[in-house]
Every structure is written in structure tokens, then in C-alpha cells.
Amino acid sequence: ENKLSDDCRKNLLATARVDILEEENAALRQTLSFAATRKYKTVGAEVVGTGATYPRDYLIIDRGEKDGISAGQAVIAMDGYLIGKIARTENDISIVQLLGDHQSRVAAATLGDAPARGLLEGGYGISVRMNLIPQNDTIRVGDMVVTSGIEDKIPHGLLVGQVEVVEKEIYQPFQRAVIAPTIDGRRQRLVSVIIGQSNL
């Protein structure tokens, strides 16, 4: 009986390992496909540590300066979803500051012909806020939010999330919006860092 349960346990573990590998391979294929389509040069990395001590929200990845990684570069998961940017590097590891971190700042815009532009700021739990949106810009619940491309190392069009709430006070110069990120960066095991444009 014990032998049977041991065999069952081994089979379950083997199946779980296969499922995890398939999931990781699918995520990797998505990221590589996205990078090739957009002509980005990326470096794949594995998450080897986290720092969820409030209010710091960061990941430690197993790639660093020797791999062409530098501070300010975009960190993406799967099909081009921005989860944060490189905060600090060493020779063979890097610290990723996630979007939810209270010191995170990323220039963003809504998708569309007349995009609303603003600054994504963390420190609000799972959601992030898009602040400094000009009062005359049109932003609606359900709008998709992407990087605006005005930052040196963060390309335009990386997906961030969707507008959940719009806070508009008529006498204020700016509006604000609550954005729900499409992906929870803290749950990622594999990520990619955009280190430049591909020459292909």
C-alpha cells in the first residue's frame, strides 16, 4: 500500500514538473515571438529572489551587466507585458523594480488615436495610478494603457493594463486613473529584459 502511494506520489511530481516546464516554455515562446515581431533585442532571465517587504516591491534576476543589462531597461513577461524596470545591476544579477513599488515611475498613455498621457506610479497595492493626465485628455474605464515611449530605455507600446477608475475633478489641472496591471509581476518565474533594438 505504501509502495503504491509512493509510486502515485512520484507520478504526481513528475506530471507537475512536466506541466511547469510546458508552462515556462509557452511563456518563453510568447516573449521571443513578441521580441521578434517588435524587433527588440532581449535577454531572458530567471527570477531567483523577491523582496515583498512593504513598501519595496522588487525581483532579483540571474542576469546582469555581463549580459548587457543596465539600469532603466524595461522588464517584460510573456507577450510584451511590462512588469517593471531594472533598478540596479551587478555583474551577474539585477534588481527589478516592479510597477507596484512605491518609488516606481513609468511614462504611459492610453491606446487610440488621441491618447491620454500620464505618469504611472506605484505604492497602491495591486493597482497602480496614472497621475498627471491633462484635464482635456479623454480617458475612459476599460481603456488599455501602454508605455508612451518618452523614456530613453522603455520603448513605446509595452502593455501595462486597463483603466479601472477615472478620477476627474473639474477644477483641478490634472485627472488621475486607477490602472489594473494585466500581469502580476510578483508571480513571474521567467522574464525578459529589453536591452535594445534588434539589427534584424
Side-chain angles (χ1 to χ4, degrees), residues 108-110 114-119 130-134 137 147-150 156:
T110 55
R117 297 179 187 278
L119 187 67
M130 189 165 162
N131 295 323
L132 301 176
I133 306 164
D137 285 4
T147 52
S148 65
I150 64 171
H156 170 262

Side-chain angles (χ1 to χ4, degrees), residues 11-119:
N11 285 339
L12 284 170
L13 281 170
T15 305
R17 284 194 193 103
V18 169
D19 287 347
I20 289 166
L21 282 172
E22 283 178 357
E23 200 176 294
E24 288 181 351
N25 285 338
L28 199 55
R29 278 196 300 273
Q30 263 188 303
T31 308
L32 290 171
S33 168
F34 170 82
T37 306
R38 295 294 193 90
K39 295 185 169 57
Y40 295 142
K41 193 175 177 185
T42 62
V43 171
E46 188 172 351
V47 175
V48 293
T50 58
T53 314
Y54 186 81
R56 300 293 297 170
D57 237 335
Y58 61 84
L59 303 176
I60 303 164
I61 59 172
D62 66 349
R63 296 285 184 269
E65 291 162 12
K66 67 179 176 55
D67 304 292
I69 293 175
S70 62
Q73 290 170 337
V75 182
I76 61 172
M78 295 196 290
D79 202 10
Y81 294 104
L82 182 79
I83 62 164
K85 55 185 174 182
I86 300 294
R88 203 170 75 242
T89 59
E90 292 180 19
N91 187 46
D92 52 5
I93 64 164
S94 298
I95 307 296
V96 179
Q97 181 184 53
L98 295 172
L99 291 175
D101 186 77
H102 80 295
Q103 292 183 340
S104 173
R105 306 282 184 276
V106 177
T110 55
L111 279 178
D113 294 334
R117 297 179 187 278
L119 187 67

Side-chain angles (χ1 to χ4, degrees), residues 39 197-200:
K39 295 185 169 57
Q197 289 289 118
S198 171
N199 296 322
L200 298 175

Side-chain angles (χ1 to χ4, degrees), residues 127 140-143 162-166 177-180:
S127 299
R140 301 181 184 90
V141 171
D143 282 354
Q162 200 165 17
V163 177
E164 272 193 332
V165 178
V166 177
V178 176
I179 313 300

Side-chain angles (χ1 to χ4, degrees), residues 123-174:
Y124 302 96
I126 296 169
S127 299
V128 293
R129 281 187 185 271
M130 189 165 162
N131 295 323
L132 301 176
I133 306 164
Q135 191 68 257
N136 295 332
D137 285 4
T138 301
I139 184 167
R140 301 181 184 90
V141 171
D143 282 354
M144 294 304 295
V145 175
V146 298
T147 52
S148 65
I150 64 171
E151 290 177 79
D152 187 29
K153 297 178 183 179
I154 311 281
H156 170 262
L158 299 178
L159 294 162
V160 175
Q162 200 165 17
V163 177
E164 272 193 332
V165 178
V166 177
E167 299 169 356
K168 184 180 174 83
E169 294 172 28
I170 202 148
Y171 299 110
Q172 295 296 323
F174 298 105

